[in-house]
Amino acid sequence: MYVQIVLFDGFDPLDVIAPYEVLGAGGVVAGGALTVELVSAEGPREVVSGSGGLALRATGTLNPDNADLIIMPGAAGRISEPENGSKIDTIPVLLARTMETNLSALMRKALDNPKVTVATVCGGSLALAMAGLLEDRHAVTHHMGMDALGATGAIAVHARVVDDGDLVTAGGVTSGLDLGLYLLERELGPRIARAVEELVEYERRGTTWHNRGLEAIAM
């Protein structure tokens, strides 16, 4: 299984590193059954995050025809502009700018490919939704962006991880750990996920919501 984690200018480092380390460890304990790579829409390059200028290197090119799983992180920075009126690149601005690039078309191609599962961490789902890619899909994002997510036509679900078939989304920044462990269990089985939990000394937390089963009636 080949996993690509997308880097873009202004990305949140923890959204990337948490699933990268969990999935990478899963690949090791599964005897190489999974590999993970950092990629960008533009190809190999140094990509600067939104956290103090920290940069990570994308070693490959985002390729929806080649990946089995593609993970889209959110952005790092302020939610709103300072009260003094100064202009900064807020998270919504960074996400909107990101989806004005070729990344939007590549993620649409990934979502249209039945062989690819797309996953997001934190504002990654909001970025896709702002580009019109998650209409009528169940998803979660950071709690501060849930109203904005719902306004795009996506169906906002309050859960730590939301599994909508070939779309798996996770909530706030630290949920990247839970996402990685859930994906290991889903794709490689609970033994692999449990082995990684023990290795990184972290137990998956929160609720995973699945788009299946009976609908709950109002009480």
Side-chain angles (χ1 to χ4, degrees):
M1 182 177 188
Y2 175 43
V3 181
Q4 293 190 327
I5 301 180
V6 181
L7 300 181
F8 59 85
D9 296 324
F11 71 91
D12 189 306
L14 189 55
D15 287 4
V16 172
I17 293 300
Y20 180 88
E21 182 157 352
V22 168
L23 292 170
V28 172
V29 299
L34 180 152
T35 59
V36 57
E37 184 177 22
L38 302 182
V39 301
S40 81
E42 300 79 19
R45 68 181 180 100
E46 296 292 322
V47 187
V48 180
S49 75
S51 295
L54 174 68
L56 294 177
R57 180 164 182 77
T59 58
T61 304
L62 175 60
N63 185 353
D65 293 324
N66 189 36
D68 300 297
L69 170 64
I70 295 174
I71 300 177
M72 175 75 177
R78 291 179 62 104
I79 297 295
S80 58
E81 293 182 345
E83 294 182 358
N84 62 14
S86 60
K87 298 293 183 181
I88 63 171
D89 286 341
T90 62
I91 287 177
V93 168
L94 287 170
L95 294 178
R97 183 184 301 153
T98 294
M99 298 314 289
E100 291 172 356
T101 69
N102 188 45
L103 178 57
S104 179
L106 289 170
M107 293 308 297
R108 180 181 295 278
K109 188 175 182 181
L111 286 162
D112 288 342
N113 187 342
K115 296 180 180 179
V116 176
T117 295
V118 171
T120 68
V121 183
C122 198
S125 59
L126 185 56
L128 300 183
M130 291 167 67
L133 302 182
L134 298 189
E135 187 170 356
D136 296 326
R137 299 300 302 268
H138 298 84
V140 66
T141 190
H142 189 282
H143 68 90
M144 296 183 70
M146 289 294 280
D147 288 342
L149 179 67
T152 67
I155 303 171
V157 179
H158 290 272
R160 184 72 167 174
V161 175
V162 173
D163 185 329
D164 192 21
D166 61 355
L167 174 68
V168 182
T169 57
V173 182
T174 58
S175 66
L177 291 166
D178 305 288
L179 175 72
L181 289 166
Y182 172 70
L183 290 171
L184 284 179
E185 180 178 329
R186 177 176 131 150
E187 303 298 334
L188 301 181
R191 296 179 189 177
I192 297 300
R194 181 57 186 156
V196 174
E197 280 188 335
E198 293 178 348
L199 180 65
V200 301
E201 296 188 344
Y202 177 84
E203 293 186 359
R204 203 168 85 218
R205 57 184 287 261
T207 300
T208 298
W209 183 92
H210 297 265
N211 186 21
R212 64 173 185 258
L214 297 175
E215 290 283 351
I217 61 174
M219 298 294 289

